[in-house]
Amino acid sequence: MELGVLADKIIEGSRRSLGKGITLIESRKPEHSKDASALLDLLLPHTGNSIRVGITGVPGVGKSTFIEAFGKYLTSIGHRVAVLAVDPSSQITGGSILGDKTRMEELSRDENAFIRPSPAGDTLGGVARRTRETMLLCEAAGYDVIIVETVGVGQSEIAVASMVDFFMLLQLATAGDELQGIKKGVMELADAIVINKADIDWQKAELSKQQYLNALHILRPKSRNWTVPVYPVSSLENRGIEDIWGMLQEFKGVMEESGEFDEKRKSQAVDWMWSLLMDDLKGMFMANKNVQGIFESVQEAVAKGITTPGAASKRLLDAFRKGW
Ligand code: GDP
């Protein structure tokens, strides 16, 4: 299909064409990469009209149950929801944490929801890049709430936080002293903490909320216009889910009013450009014949202490320049 036609069909909301476009973006065949970037160029004017929400939490905390409840609520009030995932775990374990079980069964049958599993078998950088681009395609297709889910392990949270407007941390009610065990780094990324499974013990969840608020109080605020709230919910019993949407709207309102919403998107776009540039440069560098010719021996010389890392880096760069 011609790219212009594919772009038009995506904008008209054809799910099949959206799927096709995403497949093109996820393809790692070099001949597809030009088409993928041309498609993104065509769609770019139709992107941006959504709220992008990141969700993280350890396996078992209830992410898919929450997203199912939240997503169904959103479609019931007229929104169109896309659910994407960043799960580079397949790279390490051979299997994916997010993708193995049947997840969000009801939401996946909802015609106003679009669920796409994490692109597989790539580095975190590669997965993040494809997810960002998929997010743009979904926006062009008219999805106005984009949820990007990730597992609560390591770097993937930073990658997701840097592509969304709002980053949500799902937690369980914990006793005060357990709070210290929660990675401070993740708390610092959060725009809200949602305590899931509050139905197990609402009182405990309320107590835990206070403890989270106290803990948040001593962290450096992420935004000058937003104080991180804590919400106990039950995804299983569908309680507190509406409040989360109310909070997101409040956030969007406050951030838009202050200009921080646009500011953040702009700086995310510029950061993204730099990270793509660095990736591409690295790719060019590693593919350079002169570099390849001496790479192993230079690396070995550094390991053995024959050359300093600084001198070695300079030598590789010289080889790269000459081979250009
Ligand atoms: P994920 O690994 O984070 O996606 O977690 P799941 O959504 O698969 O949930 C893990 C388990 O917790 C499942 O057995 C869910 O039924 C259960 N669960 C999820 N949300 C709730 C909740 O709000 N209350 C209770 N009691 N159980 C829940």
mmCIF file of all heavy atoms in Angstrom, residues 285-309:
data_model
loop_
_atom_site.group_PDB
_atom_site.id
_atom_site.type_symbol
_atom_site.label_atom_id
_atom_site.label_comp_id
_atom_site.label_asym_id
_atom_site.label_seq_id
_atom_site.Cartn_x
_atom_site.Cartn_y
_atom_site.Cartn_z
ATOM 1 N N PHE A 285 29.438 4.297 13.809
ATOM 2 C CA PHE A 285 30.795 4.078 14.323
ATOM 3 C C PHE A 285 31.138 2.584 14.294
ATOM 4 O O PHE A 285 32.174 2.179 13.785
ATOM 5 C CB PHE A 285 30.874 4.642 15.749
ATOM 6 C CG PHE A 285 32.237 4.584 16.352
ATOM 7 C CD1 PHE A 285 33.174 5.571 16.069
ATOM 8 C CD2 PHE A 285 32.599 3.555 17.212
ATOM 9 C CE1 PHE A 285 34.442 5.530 16.628
ATOM 10 C CE2 PHE A 285 33.855 3.506 17.776
ATOM 11 C CZ PHE A 285 34.787 4.497 17.490
ATOM 12 N N MET A 286 30.225 1.781 14.834
ATOM 13 C CA MET A 286 30.497 0.350 14.929
ATOM 14 C C MET A 286 30.511 -0.330 13.560
ATOM 15 O O MET A 286 31.098 -1.390 13.401
ATOM 16 C CB MET A 286 29.457 -0.343 15.832
ATOM 17 C CG MET A 286 29.443 0.143 17.275
ATOM 18 S SD MET A 286 31.054 0.175 18.074
ATOM 19 C CE MET A 286 31.295 -1.556 18.404
ATOM 20 N N ALA A 287 29.836 0.286 12.576
ATOM 21 C CA ALA A 287 29.780 -0.312 11.245
ATOM 22 C C ALA A 287 30.964 0.131 10.369
ATOM 23 O O ALA A 287 31.151 -0.374 9.265
ATOM 24 C CB ALA A 287 28.462 0.058 10.557
ATOM 25 N N ASN A 288 31.735 1.082 10.879
ATOM 26 C CA ASN A 288 32.856 1.619 10.113
ATOM 27 C C ASN A 288 33.981 0.575 9.970
ATOM 28 O O ASN A 288 34.430 0.005 10.970
ATOM 29 C CB ASN A 288 33.350 2.877 10.853
ATOM 30 C CG ASN A 288 34.492 3.561 10.136
ATOM 31 O OD1 ASN A 288 35.607 3.065 10.138
ATOM 32 N ND2 ASN A 288 34.193 4.696 9.532
ATOM 33 N N LYS A 289 34.414 0.343 8.714
ATOM 34 C CA LYS A 289 35.393 -0.725 8.459
ATOM 35 C C LYS A 289 36.719 -0.483 9.194
ATOM 36 O O LYS A 289 37.292 -1.410 9.757
ATOM 37 C CB LYS A 289 35.669 -0.831 6.951
ATOM 38 C CG LYS A 289 34.504 -1.403 6.174
ATOM 39 C CD LYS A 289 34.584 -2.942 6.155
ATOM 40 C CE LYS A 289 33.398 -3.592 5.474
ATOM 41 N NZ LYS A 289 32.100 -3.359 6.112
ATOM 42 N N ASN A 290 37.200 0.760 9.185
ATOM 43 C CA ASN A 290 38.465 1.055 9.860
ATOM 44 C C ASN A 290 38.376 0.773 11.361
ATOM 45 O O ASN A 290 39.309 0.253 11.960
ATOM 46 C CB ASN A 290 38.833 2.531 9.688
ATOM 47 C CG ASN A 290 39.433 2.799 8.329
ATOM 48 O OD1 ASN A 290 39.391 1.933 7.465
ATOM 49 N ND2 ASN A 290 39.993 3.987 8.149
ATOM 50 N N VAL A 291 37.242 1.145 11.933
ATOM 51 C CA VAL A 291 37.049 0.912 13.370
ATOM 52 C C VAL A 291 37.034 -0.587 13.626
ATOM 53 O O VAL A 291 37.719 -1.090 14.529
ATOM 54 C CB VAL A 291 35.736 1.571 13.866
ATOM 55 C CG1 VAL A 291 35.435 1.154 15.295
ATOM 56 C CG2 VAL A 291 35.829 3.095 13.754
ATOM 57 N N GLN A 292 36.269 -1.292 12.808
ATOM 58 C CA GLN A 292 36.171 -2.743 12.995
ATOM 59 C C GLN A 292 37.543 -3.414 12.910
ATOM 60 O O GLN A 292 37.821 -4.345 13.661
ATOM 61 C CB GLN A 292 35.235 -3.339 11.944
ATOM 62 C CG GLN A 292 33.772 -3.116 12.287
ATOM 63 C CD GLN A 292 32.833 -3.586 11.178
ATOM 64 O OE1 GLN A 292 33.276 -4.015 10.113
ATOM 65 N NE2 GLN A 292 31.545 -3.479 11.437
ATOM 66 N N GLY A 293 38.406 -2.878 12.005
ATOM 67 C CA GLY A 293 39.725 -3.456 11.809
ATOM 68 C C GLY A 293 40.603 -3.425 13.053
ATOM 69 O O GLY A 293 41.416 -4.327 13.271
ATOM 70 N N ILE A 294 40.462 -2.397 13.866
ATOM 71 C CA ILE A 294 41.369 -2.294 15.021
ATOM 72 C C ILE A 294 40.655 -2.441 16.367
ATOM 73 O O ILE A 294 41.284 -2.453 17.421
ATOM 74 C CB ILE A 294 42.139 -0.936 15.012
ATOM 75 C CG1 ILE A 294 41.164 0.251 15.075
ATOM 76 C CG2 ILE A 294 43.043 -0.833 13.802
ATOM 77 C CD1 ILE A 294 41.856 1.569 15.403
ATOM 78 N N PHE A 295 39.319 -2.544 16.311
ATOM 79 C CA PHE A 295 38.531 -2.509 17.539
ATOM 80 C C PHE A 295 38.990 -3.528 18.588
ATOM 81 O O PHE A 295 39.274 -3.189 19.734
ATOM 82 C CB PHE A 295 37.047 -2.717 17.195
ATOM 83 C CG PHE A 295 36.128 -2.415 18.325
ATOM 84 C CD1 PHE A 295 35.821 -1.101 18.664
ATOM 85 C CD2 PHE A 295 35.580 -3.439 19.086
ATOM 86 C CE1 PHE A 295 34.988 -0.817 19.723
ATOM 87 C CE2 PHE A 295 34.742 -3.154 20.154
ATOM 88 C CZ PHE A 295 34.444 -1.836 20.469
ATOM 89 N N GLU A 296 39.084 -4.797 18.147
ATOM 90 C CA GLU A 296 39.435 -5.867 19.077
ATOM 91 C C GLU A 296 40.795 -5.625 19.727
ATOM 92 O O GLU A 296 40.947 -5.737 20.949
ATOM 93 C CB GLU A 296 39.483 -7.222 18.345
ATOM 94 C CG GLU A 296 38.145 -7.705 17.829
ATOM 95 C CD GLU A 296 37.253 -8.243 18.948
ATOM 96 O OE1 GLU A 296 37.801 -8.644 19.992
ATOM 97 O OE2 GLU A 296 36.021 -8.247 18.769
ATOM 98 N N SER A 297 41.779 -5.277 18.893
ATOM 99 C CA SER A 297 43.136 -5.150 19.417
ATOM 100 C C SER A 297 43.236 -3.938 20.350
ATOM 101 O O SER A 297 43.909 -4.006 21.384
ATOM 102 C CB SER A 297 44.154 -5.068 18.281
ATOM 103 O OG SER A 297 43.903 -3.926 17.499
ATOM 104 N N VAL A 298 42.547 -2.858 20.009
ATOM 105 C CA VAL A 298 42.585 -1.675 20.875
ATOM 106 C C VAL A 298 41.931 -1.989 22.224
ATOM 107 O O VAL A 298 42.450 -1.650 23.290
ATOM 108 C CB VAL A 298 41.884 -0.463 20.197
ATOM 109 C CG1 VAL A 298 41.732 0.688 21.179
ATOM 110 C CG2 VAL A 298 42.674 -0.001 18.978
ATOM 111 N N GLN A 299 40.819 -2.694 22.141
ATOM 112 C CA GLN A 299 40.111 -3.045 23.370
ATOM 113 C C GLN A 299 40.987 -3.925 24.262
ATOM 114 O O GLN A 299 41.054 -3.731 25.483
ATOM 115 C CB GLN A 299 38.818 -3.774 23.007
ATOM 116 C CG GLN A 299 37.863 -3.918 24.171
ATOM 117 C CD GLN A 299 36.485 -4.347 23.702
ATOM 118 O OE1 GLN A 299 35.682 -3.540 23.275
ATOM 119 N NE2 GLN A 299 36.227 -5.631 23.754
ATOM 120 N N GLU A 300 41.668 -4.847 23.642
ATOM 121 C CA GLU A 300 42.538 -5.753 24.398
ATOM 122 C C GLU A 300 43.701 -4.981 25.029
ATOM 123 O O GLU A 300 44.067 -5.224 26.182
ATOM 124 C CB GLU A 300 43.067 -6.828 23.448
ATOM 125 C CG GLU A 300 43.447 -8.107 24.174
ATOM 126 C CD GLU A 300 43.983 -9.134 23.190
ATOM 127 O OE1 GLU A 300 43.267 -9.426 22.203
ATOM 128 O OE2 GLU A 300 45.113 -9.621 23.410
ATOM 129 N N ALA A 301 44.231 -4.034 24.265
ATOM 130 C CA ALA A 301 45.346 -3.235 24.782
ATOM 131 C C ALA A 301 44.911 -2.442 26.022
ATOM 132 O O ALA A 301 45.671 -2.299 26.979
ATOM 133 C CB ALA A 301 45.856 -2.289 23.698
ATOM 134 N N VAL A 302 43.678 -1.966 26.014
ATOM 135 C CA VAL A 302 43.167 -1.242 27.186
ATOM 136 C C VAL A 302 43.015 -2.201 28.363
ATOM 137 O O VAL A 302 43.428 -1.906 29.484
ATOM 138 C CB VAL A 302 41.810 -0.557 26.872
ATOM 139 C CG1 VAL A 302 41.203 0.040 28.144
ATOM 140 C CG2 VAL A 302 41.988 0.530 25.824
ATOM 141 N N ALA A 303 42.446 -3.379 28.073
ATOM 142 C CA ALA A 303 42.227 -4.354 29.138
ATOM 143 C C ALA A 303 43.546 -4.763 29.775
ATOM 144 O O ALA A 303 43.634 -4.955 30.984
ATOM 145 C CB ALA A 303 41.499 -5.579 28.578
ATOM 146 N N LYS A 304 44.600 -4.889 28.965
ATOM 147 C CA LYS A 304 45.898 -5.324 29.486
ATOM 148 C C LYS A 304 46.703 -4.180 30.090
ATOM 149 O O LYS A 304 47.800 -4.389 30.616
ATOM 150 C CB LYS A 304 46.721 -5.964 28.357
ATOM 151 C CG LYS A 304 46.229 -7.350 27.982
ATOM 152 C CD LYS A 304 47.162 -7.981 26.980
ATOM 153 C CE LYS A 304 46.747 -9.406 26.650
ATOM 154 N NZ LYS A 304 47.237 -9.814 25.340
ATOM 155 N N GLY A 305 46.204 -2.975 29.960
ATOM 156 C CA GLY A 305 46.907 -1.832 30.531
ATOM 157 C C GLY A 305 48.033 -1.322 29.646
ATOM 158 O O GLY A 305 48.878 -0.555 30.092
ATOM 159 N N ILE A 306 48.055 -1.742 28.380
ATOM 160 C CA ILE A 306 49.111 -1.292 27.466
ATOM 161 C C ILE A 306 48.803 0.118 26.958
ATOM 162 O O ILE A 306 49.675 0.940 26.744
ATOM 163 C CB ILE A 306 49.254 -2.274 26.266
ATOM 164 C CG1 ILE A 306 49.632 -3.663 26.790
ATOM 165 C CG2 ILE A 306 50.267 -1.767 25.245
ATOM 166 C CD1 ILE A 306 49.482 -4.767 25.766
ATOM 167 N N THR A 307 47.513 0.398 26.751
ATOM 168 C CA THR A 307 47.067 1.719 26.300
ATOM 169 C C THR A 307 46.108 2.286 27.332
ATOM 170 O O THR A 307 45.363 1.524 27.948
ATOM 171 C CB THR A 307 46.298 1.594 24.952
ATOM 172 O OG1 THR A 307 47.017 0.739 24.100
ATOM 173 C CG2 THR A 307 46.112 2.940 24.299
ATOM 174 N N THR A 308 46.087 3.594 27.472
ATOM 175 C CA THR A 308 45.084 4.172 28.374
ATOM 176 C C THR A 308 43.749 4.236 27.630
ATOM 177 O O THR A 308 43.723 4.347 26.397
ATOM 178 C CB THR A 308 45.454 5.607 28.796
ATOM 179 O OG1 THR A 308 45.452 6.437 27.626
ATOM 180 C CG2 THR A 308 46.797 5.672 29.480
ATOM 181 N N PRO A 309 42.627 4.191 28.343
ATOM 182 C CA PRO A 309 41.316 4.311 27.694
ATOM 183 C C PRO A 309 41.219 5.595 26.868
ATOM 184 O O PRO A 309 40.658 5.586 25.774
ATOM 185 C CB PRO A 309 40.337 4.335 28.874
ATOM 186 C CG PRO A 309 41.036 3.574 29.945
ATOM 187 C CD PRO A 309 42.494 3.901 29.789
#
